[in-house]
Each structure stands twice: as C-alpha cells, then as structure tokens.
Amino acid sequence: MKAWGVLWIVLGLSLWPKPGTASSLPMVMDSIIQALEELEQKVLVTEAGVTASAWILSAKNYSSHNSLHQHLLLKAPSQNTTEPDTHSLSPELQALISEVAQHDVRDGQEYGVVLAPDGSTVAVKPLLVGLEAGLQGRSVANLSSDCLDTCDTGAIWPGLKDAFTNVSSPDAGATLPNDKAKTPTTVDRLLAVTLAGDLGLTFLHRSQTWSPPGLGIEGCWDQLSAPRVFTLLDHKASRLTMAFLNGALDGALLGAHLSRIPKPHPPLSRLLREYYGAGVDGDPAFRSNFRRQNGVALTSAPTLAQQVWEALVLLQKLEPGHPRLQNMSQKQLAQVATFATKEFTEAFLGCPAIHPRCRWGAAPYRGHPTPLRLPLGLLYVHHTYVPAPPCTTFQSCAADMRSMQRFHQNVRGWADIGYSFVVGSDGYVYQGRGWHWVGAHTLGYNSRGFGVAFVGNYTGSLPSEAALNTVRDVLPSCAIRAGLLRPDYKLFGHRQLGKTDCPGNALFNLLRTWPHFTVVEN
Ligand SMILES: *[C@@H]1O[C@H](CO)[C@@H](O)[C@H](O)[C@H]1NC(C)=O
Ligand SMILES: *[C@@H]1O[C@H](CO)[C@@H](O)[C@H](O)[C@H]1NC(C)=O
Ligand SMILES: *[C@@H]1O[C@H](CO)[C@@H](O)[C@H](O)[C@H]1NC(C)=O
Ligand SMILES: *[C@@H]1O[C@H](CO)[C@@H](O)[C@H](O)[C@H]1NC(C)=O
Ligand SMILES: *[C@@H]1O[C@H](CO)[C@@H](O)[C@H](O)[C@H]1NC(C)=O
Ligand SMILES: *[C@@H]1O[C@H](CO)[C@@H](O)[C@H](O)[C@H]1NC(C)=O
C-alpha cells in the first residue's frame, strides 16, 4: 500500500524538467542504476527500494499512458503520503529520468532506451513497469468483476489451446487448464503490463494484412563509450523493437523475482546491478545475457497467448472507443493473441540474441559484397583458435571481433571479417557478414553455406553449454523458420572441407554426434 500511496501522490505533480531537456549523462544502464540509487538513498529514505521505480514512472503525465498500466498498476491508494523532497536529485538525473520515463519510436529513432553492460539495448519504461508490478505482488485481476453490462463472457474459443502444440519451447507441452481456455477471466498483472498488452496491440494493428510488424528491430548507437542517440536499422520498425522486447522481458523476469522473494525487497539499484552486471558469472537464471532462455522458462506459449488475449479483452472494456479494438469479437482477439504470441515465441525467444555489426564497432566492408542465394543448404562450424581464450563479456567479445576483423582485412587482405557469425561465451552471437553476404570462411564452399565460429581454441576443451546449444539448435532452427537455411541442411566441421585442424579435436568429436552432421565421402 505504501508504494502505491507514493506513486499516486506524485501523479500530476510537475516535478521533472520539461521533455526535451537533454540529460548530459550517457544513455547506459549504469546511469539508470545511479538514478535509482540516488532516489533510494536521498529521496525515499523511508520507503527504500519500494518506490523508486514508481517515482521514475511518474515523471511524465500518466494520462498519456496505456490504460492497462493505470488499471492494473496504479490501483487506488490512500493519499496521505507526504510530498517527498525531490530537489536533492541532481538536475542530470532528473533530466535522465524524464527522458527514459517514456518509450517511443519516431522517425527512425528510438527514445527511452539505454545500453546495458552485456551490449544489449534495453527500453527502460517496460523494465520499470515490470519492477513495479513485481513490487506490488504478482496477482491476477478478475476480469469478470470488471465486466460492464455489455461485455460478453460467454465466448468460447478452443483454438487457443491447440495453436501451440508445435512451438519449440520446453514448456510447449503445457496445456491450458480447461476452465481458462473457455473464456477470459483473469489477467496476470505482471505479464499484462510488461508484454501481453503491447504484443496484442501491436499485432492488432497489423491483423488486417497479417504482415509481421518488424518484431525485434535492432539499432545502432551514435557511439559506444558515451551513447546518446539510438537509430533503428529499419525505419519501418513497430514499437516492439529489440530494445522494447529486452526491457519488457527483463521487467517480467525481475518482476517475477521480486514477487517471489521475501520482504523487505532489496534496493532496485542492487538488483539491477546484479542482473546486468558484466559477464556471465553467477546464477545464469538471473543474468540479462540469458534473458531469452529464462523467458522460455517464465511462461509457456499457451499461457502467454491466454494473457495476450485477456489483456486485449480487458483493454476493450477499458477503452470502448479504441479504434483498433472496436467491433472486434473475442474470437478475433484470440486469433490476434495466438499470432502475436507465436511470433514472439518463435522469432524472439526462439532465436539467438545477435549483436549487430555496429554494436561491436565493425569497420566498413571493403568493396562490394556478393549476395548469397538463400536459403543455403550447408552450415560450417569453426573455432577461432586465436583468440584462444573464450570471451565471456561483451567488452572482450567485441574486442575479439574487432581484432579478427583487423587481421582478416589488413593481413589476409579480405573484404571483411571472414565468418558469417561468431559465437561468444557471453550468451551472444556477433554478426560477421551475416545472413545475406558471401563470407570468407571455408575456401571453395563460401557461397554454399554459412560459416559460424566459436571464439576460442577447442582442441582440448569444449565451448560453454549455452554457446553449443546456440549453434546446435537455436541458430539453425531460427534460420530455417526465416527461410535462410534449408530444413534439410548439412552440418560440417571446417576440417572436412579443407586442410586444417579447425574446429579443434574436442569440438569436432562432439560435432559428429549432432543432428545434421554429415560425413564427407572421399
Ligand atoms: C494515512 O494516515 C493514517 C493516519 O494519519 C495512517 O494510519 C495511515 O497509515 C496512512 N496511510 C498511509 C498509506 O501512509
Ligand atoms: C495531463 O495531460 C492531460 C491531457 O493530456 C491534461 O489535461 C492534464 O492537465 C495534464 N496534467 C498535468 C499534471 O500535466
Ligand atoms: C470474479 O468475479 C465474479 C463476479 O464478481 C465472480 O463471480 C467470480 O467468482 C470471480 N472469479 C474469481 C476467480 O475470483
Ligand atoms: C504440427 O506437428 C504435426 C505433427 O507433429 C504436423 O502434422 C503438423 O502439420 C504441424 N503443424 C504445423 C502448423 O506445423
Ligand atoms: C463499429 O460498429 C459501429 C456500429 O455497428 C459502427 O458505427 C462503427 O463505425 C464501427 N467501428 C469500426 C471501427 O468499424
Ligand atoms: C590450443 O589448445 C591446445 C590443446 O589444449 C594447445 O596445445 C595449443 O597450444 C593451443 N593453441 C593456442 C594458440 O592457444
């Protein structure tokens, strides 16, 4: 109740500078953590971490916010909290808070996003919304009791249950409880405010044509040392950018964590520092590097589809005049929910996290690249050998990418780094020449397959299980789904096609046991 009280009292207070007042702080997660820390230490001494996220969320006029948040997150508090002293916050932090309190995509740029230590870009708003929902306790809202006279609770749409039997997540076997499958009844607050509402609304917008809304578009920072401006790689991106999906998923994961652990809650600054803290040491279930794997464990596709559906049904009640929701039947909303969840599950959760070239500071391609004729039928596995140590942080993997590119361009005289993709031990794949351009990795076979290299020397040891899983399962299945790789692709170790020990004895011996591994006939 206390958290809600403070949240409510700051609504409508014009505490923050006008939008447009640029902060001088770099748009990095550390700046956000610093702001939370100051809020926790100076402003909200008595409330500690409990209300810091709510404070930031209140930086902007809530009436412009989505009604799901208002309805599910900001439930009527008692209003006798005293007005806290905000003047102790530095103007830089106030300006930063004002900037990140909204997420927006406009004219090819994305606002309200920061660069995290793992190299991912994260939208702050859905992250904070998830934290706040978690602090308020994970709960379900009873949709029936919110129901207006006109609302139809009798609709039955059994299709929702069957739509996911083929989704490739470990949870896919989970079935919807029968009573839930029949009619929307309860909204999981945490999922609704982080992922479900936005997923549903974005796909609703496109449901006329069924064209994908550019889910998970990446972007480039103006600079990596002190980033300020984030430009999207596709100007037609929907609001469900990669940064938004990252932030929403982090919000859902951290919110679920907060709702599980006993009170008092740890300061949010400490929680975020641990979650985003550089590297992959510590609990993999609590690292931004592995958010997608953890997202698969957080919710099954049928559950998420149910929640997207229910969020849309609730929105329809909350905003009867909503142009996109008007006159949509519950069955139509269920179809949108099914499609949106399938895209999210397969194209985001089911794909590896790939850092685009600009993220690791790639030099430009020299000359004109040759396009591949897709889909390709071959996948070649390499190890880099040098660098020999596996890279486990964004900093070190990105530095390895730059040094390999320098070597390939300046010493070998190639146009670019040779590999199509490079896999770190930090939970990330780094884009080399990518899906569309012929590489220089497997002499004589470059135009027929993708070359994927593990960073490290795998003569006597193996890459991390996460990295192996990426190359064995996630990358190929994602590429097959996208029409880049043939479903019957053949997998080779580099040594099968050239005079080399690559990809190392230990790794090659493992490769022989993988699906799609193919023996070369002599
Ligand atoms: C509001 O004030 C009353 C009495 O002054 C107090 O008992 C109550 O705890 C306060 N509520 C909150 C949310 O602070
Ligand atoms: C919030 O915005 C609404 C309209 O969008 C406006 O009527 C209201 O005065 C604003 N409130 C504050 C505190 O700025
Ligand atoms: C939801 O509310 C309706 C009407 O108020 C009630 O009949 C129903 O039992 C409630 N369901 C749950 C799961 O609480
Ligand atoms: C799902 O899998 C079954 C067999 O397991 C197959 O017959 C069916 O075509 C698949 N559906 C889709 C949509 O891929
Ligand atoms: C919804 O239906 C009403 C009445 O049937 C109609 O007046 C209105 O134009 C419709 N709205 C949309 C967006 O189709
Ligand atoms: C690679 O590993 C093998 C076996 O562990 C070792 O003998 C070799 O020196 C290593 N090469 C490099 C470049 O580190």
Side-chain angles (χ1 to χ4, degrees), residues 1-6 47 77-82:
M1 279 314 276
K2 277 187 169 178
W4 298 358
V6 173
E47 301 278 327
S78 61
Q79 303 197 4
N80 59 353
T81 321
T82 50

Side-chain angles (χ1 to χ4, degrees), residues 55-120:
W55 266 86
I56 297 183
L57 289 172
S58 332
K60 288 274 176 92
N61 187 341
Y62 246 104
S63 62
S64 65
H65 286 198
N66 124 10
S67 56
L68 272 186
H69 295 176
Q70 281 184 18
H71 183 75
L72 295 174
L73 211 51
L74 300 171
K75 268 279 161 56
S78 61
Q79 303 197 4
N80 59 353
T81 321
T82 50
E83 186 182 333
D85 174 22
T86 56
H87 302 296
S88 50
L89 261 199
S90 73
E92 286 83 14
L93 286 181
Q94 289 192 39
L96 174 81
I97 284 171
S98 177
E99 264 184 87
V100 298
Q102 289 291 11
H103 172 252
D104 204 1
V105 172
R106 258 183 291 125
D107 304 326
Q109 291 196 353
E110 188 168 8
Y111 300 87
V113 298
V114 295
L115 178 63
D118 65 357
S120 61

Side-chain angles (χ1 to χ4, degrees), residues 379-385 401 404 408 417-424 428-430 441 450-456 458 463 467 471 475 502-503 507:
L379 186 63
Y380 319 119
V381 176
H382 299 247
H383 68 164
T384 61
Y385 191 66
M401 289 300 287
M404 285 188 284
H408 289 173
I417 187 169
Y419 309 114
S420 310
F421 293 97
V422 178
V423 182
Y428 286 92
V429 174
Y430 291 74
H441 39 76
F450 300 107
V452 176
F454 291 93
V455 177
Y458 298 107
V471 178
L475 190 78
C502 177
L507 179 55

Side-chain angles (χ1 to χ4, degrees), residues 51 185 203 245 284 409 474:
T51 55
T185 48
F203 280 83
L245 294 174
Q409 287 187 325
V474 190

Side-chain angles (χ1 to χ4, degrees), residues 12 14 58 95 121 130 162 171 219 222 261 294 296 299 311 356 363 401 472 480:
S14 26
S58 332
T121 301
D162 306 323
D171 246 345
D222 53 342
I261 59 177
N294 296 329
V296 169
T299 170
M401 289 300 287
R472 186 183 55 225
I480 291 168

